[in-house]
Amino acid sequence: MSTITELKDQINTKTVNMVLLTIATAGIYPILWLYSNFRIIDKITKTRTANSTFIIWIAVCIGLSGVFTGTGDKALDVMSLILSIAGGTLYVVWAFRARNALQKYALNEHKIDLRMNGFYTFLFNVYYINYCINDLPEVQRKQNILSGQAAVQES
């Protein structure tokens, strides 16, 4: 059985650092983070969330949307918008897959009821998944305290 900190230790990215690196790299860092960490998440949770082709398509959509932005040509601006929406949609799809994998992993491996907010998953996708991965040990600690209090009240 794995420890609750295994996923956090292997990914080893603070969410604040992730946000700052996203700003510093003009939005490229989440793609790099996702590409380097989806295999770790899949291996530890034993659930497939993506493959390399899926991540490459995110990069293609986001990259080309940036290339086509601000050209002054209406058709390219529309194409840029469509590609941005497609890239964002792919991020959200991955985030919900990862959310399901994390919840199943926490319940099956560590008997933790990990409640992840669907709205936050949609809105913050990769960042929220990273936050929840980092928060797993704290969630376990809180649930252990609550279950200990419930046991005391029963006796």
Side-chain angles (χ1 to χ4, degrees), residues 5-113:
T5 61
E6 180 180 15
L7 194 53
K8 177 183 175 185
D9 293 342
Q10 285 194 29
I11 290 179
N12 194 25
T13 306
K14 289 183 175 37
T15 308
V16 172
N17 291 348
M18 191 173 180
V19 170
L20 294 174
L21 285 167
T22 301
I23 294 167
T25 61
I28 294 173
Y29 186 75
I31 298 167
L32 297 172
W33 181 90
L34 190 54
Y35 188 77
S36 63
N37 290 308
F38 83 90
R39 288 182 191 91
I40 295 169
I41 294 168
D42 289 0
K43 181 180 144 202
I44 292 174
T45 64
K46 298 178 184 97
T47 304
R48 188 177 179 114
T49 60
N51 60 31
S52 296
T53 306
F54 186 84
I55 308 302
I56 289 169
W57 276 110
I58 294 174
V60 167
C61 290
I62 299 299
L64 286 178
S65 74
V67 169
F68 295 151
T69 299
T71 59
D73 183 1
K74 293 284 186 195
L76 289 179
D77 286 343
V78 169
M79 182 60 77
S80 173
L81 178 63
I82 292 169
L83 288 168
S84 291
I85 292 170
T89 302
L90 291 173
Y91 269 130
V92 170
V93 166
W94 178 83
F96 276 95
R97 287 180 183 173
R99 174 182 180 244
N100 292 338
L102 284 174
Q103 289 176 323
K104 189 173 102 179
Y105 165 74
L107 186 62
N108 293 340
E109 293 290 322
H110 302 289
K111 308 300 183 238
I112 298 172
D113 183 22

Side-chain angles (χ1 to χ4, degrees), residues 82-145:
I82 292 169
L83 288 168
S84 291
I85 292 170
T89 302
L90 291 173
Y91 269 130
V92 170
V93 166
W94 178 83
F96 276 95
R97 287 180 183 173
R99 174 182 180 244
N100 292 338
L102 284 174
Q103 289 176 323
K104 189 173 102 179
Y105 165 74
L107 186 62
N108 293 340
E109 293 290 322
H110 302 289
K111 308 300 183 238
I112 298 172
D113 183 22
L114 181 62
R115 297 182 185 191
M116 294 175 66
N117 188 311
F119 179 71
Y120 289 163
T121 305
F122 176 79
L123 191 62
F124 301 115
N125 50 69
V126 177
Y127 305 99
Y128 186 60
I129 297 301
N130 185 69
Y131 170 80
C132 289
I133 288 169
N134 288 332
D135 200 43
L136 275 172
E138 183 64 16
V139 171
Q140 183 184 43
R141 187 187 70 78
K142 286 178 183 177
Q143 286 190 11
N144 286 343
I145 289 170

